[in-house]
Amino acid sequence: MNKTNVTPPNRKSLLFSNLQDLATIVLGIMIYAVGFTVFILPHHIVIGGMAGFSSLIFYASGELLPVAAVMYGTNILLLLCGFKYLGKGFVLRTIFGTTILSLLIGFMEGYFTSHPPLISSAPMSVMTGAVLLGIGIGLYYSHHGTTGGTDIVAAIMSHKSNISMGRVMMIIDFSIVALSFFLPFDGDMEQRVQARTQTIIYGWVAIFIYSWLADKYLAQGKQTVQFIILSDKWEEIANRITHETGRGVTTWEGQGYWTGEKRKLMLIWCRQIDTYNIFRIVKETDENAYITNSTVRSVYGNGFDQLKTKKK
């Protein structure tokens, strides 16, 4: 098979792509900060991640240690402890993400913890916050952003054992919420059980909602699509797809059984987000082209997913 040469992106387009990633990461962190600080923290609900751990310390200290300060300090400490297991890029992205998130939460938490909740109903407020958390996480994860926390612990654990990062994060998140049972409480054990069971369930439900939404968002962005295109104007189509979408085009010879005519077939693998542009390019170039479009379970290699195997 012959593969057309892909022109490397110029500096201007690379800079624009990086700025777009940066803006999306910041937007995702902002949405996360609003969802947590405005809708979850005022109801004294402990969720997973570093936000949940920092909430535990905040409530255990009688609200003397701010969530933002605990979050930032703990993240930096975790980075120092696990630096040798983490890549330089991961560390820099984590410092950037946790700095932005801590500043935003620190700016808002004083007001929202000292005033009545914006939504008085705890279940409705928690669900609203969890939806915003899921959207925020999906946004900044999809553009290679991170805010640290359980990500750091999970990344270290994945180097030390065969346990997947997702499983480590799930165990840590559910454990953080369960620990909220032991927070200071005015009342006897029966009252504590009744009150804390409710808040723990809210926290676990929030974890489920924002994890599910984030996974759906990330899966949609990573969904791989396969095109097979048959056209007399294959060279023009291949050139446009390569330069306008950045996706490679593989060509091979096909031959019609009845006519015996030889024609070029094109094979393209791309992400779901690229499908509209490819359809548009083909339609604009050759309305008589034949196109097949199908979902591919996964593609491993340069520009797609990285093939990973478990350690022995």
Side-chain angles (χ1 to χ4, degrees):
M1 290 189 293
N2 299 321
K3 191 174 182 179
T4 59
N5 295 324
V6 179
T7 304
N10 56 44
R11 291 183 180 180
K12 186 178 291 186
S13 63
L14 188 62
L15 177 62
F16 177 77
S17 177
N18 289 335
L19 288 176
Q20 191 177 37
D21 283 342
L22 189 65
T24 306
I25 290 170
V26 173
L27 176 61
I29 293 173
M30 289 175 64
I31 293 173
Y32 182 99
V34 170
F36 169 71
T37 315
V38 177
F39 297 101
I40 293 177
L41 190 62
H43 286 281
H44 290 220
I45 305 296
V46 175
I47 60 171
M50 187 53 65
F53 175 79
S54 302
S55 300
L56 277 177
I57 303 300
F58 176 65
Y59 297 131
S61 66
E63 302 187 3
L64 294 177
L65 294 175
V67 172
V70 175
M71 180 182 293
Y72 193 75
T74 308
N75 270 321
I76 297 301
L77 184 62
L78 286 173
L79 285 174
L80 291 174
C81 293
F83 184 80
K84 65 178 181 178
Y85 301 108
L86 309 170
K88 181 180 177 182
F90 180 86
V91 171
L92 292 176
R93 293 198 309 272
T94 302
I95 291 174
F96 173 79
T98 193
T99 300
I100 299 296
L101 182 60
S102 298
L103 287 172
L104 289 170
I105 291 177
F107 179 75
M108 294 187 292
E109 69 173 304
Y111 177 85
F112 287 101
T113 54
S114 60
H115 288 74
L118 193 63
I119 299 177
S120 58
S121 170
M124 185 63 67
S125 189
V126 169
M127 285 191 290
T128 303
V131 169
L132 292 176
L133 291 180
I135 295 171
I137 293 170
L139 278 172
Y140 66 71
Y141 265 15
S142 63
H143 290 263
H144 312 293
T146 176
T147 56
T150 50
D151 291 2
I152 303 173
V153 180
I156 295 172
M157 287 292 292
S158 67
H159 283 81
K160 305 293 287 184
S161 69
N162 289 331
I163 305 176
S164 67
M165 284 187 65
R167 186 172 298 179
V168 172
M169 292 173 70
M170 182 183 69
I171 293 171
I172 294 173
D173 287 349
F174 275 77
S175 300
I176 289 171
V177 176
L179 286 173
S180 65
F181 179 84
F182 302 102
L183 288 173
F185 181 80
D186 295 330
D188 57 27
M189 181 55 71
E190 184 178 352
Q191 292 172 324
R192 174 188 288 269
V193 170
Q194 290 178 346
R196 292 296 184 219
T197 300
Q198 190 175 45
T199 58
I200 288 172
I201 290 173
Y202 287 158
W204 284 341
V205 169
I207 291 174
F208 174 79
I209 292 173
Y210 68 67
S211 299
W212 182 81
L213 282 174
D215 284 345
K216 283 292 183 183
Y217 187 94
L218 292 170
Q220 183 68 21
K222 288 187 174 182
Q223 179 62 63
T224 306
V225 176
Q226 175 178 285
F227 282 90
I228 296 178
I229 304 171
L230 176 64
S231 170
D232 292 331
K233 299 180 179 179
W234 65 271
E235 195 165 8
E236 185 179 350
I237 292 174
N239 185 64
R240 288 191 62 184
I241 289 175
T242 299
H243 290 86
E244 293 181 29
T245 70
R247 292 297 176 183
V249 180
T250 301
T251 64
W252 76 94
E253 293 285 349
Q255 182 174 354
Y257 169 74
W258 186 256
T259 63
E261 181 182 356
K262 292 184 178 181
R263 301 175 72 180
K264 287 282 189 180
L265 288 164
M266 290 171 281
L267 173 68
I268 302 103
W269 291 322
C270 65
R271 295 299 190 190
Q272 182 73 39
I273 195 171
D274 297 316
T275 56
Y276 170 77
N277 283 330
I278 291 177
F279 276 121
R280 175 182 56 80
I281 289 168
V282 175
K283 180 176 174 59
E284 289 175 356
T285 308
D286 182 8
E287 290 190 351
N288 296 318
Y290 294 95
I291 310 171
T292 67
N293 171 235
S294 58
T295 299
V296 179
R297 184 176 178 86
S298 56
V299 174
Y300 299 102
N302 185 30
F304 291 93
D305 300 324
Q306 183 179 357
L307 183 61
K308 297 180 180 179
T309 56
K310 289 187 177 180
K311 298 177 183 178
K312 293 184 178 179

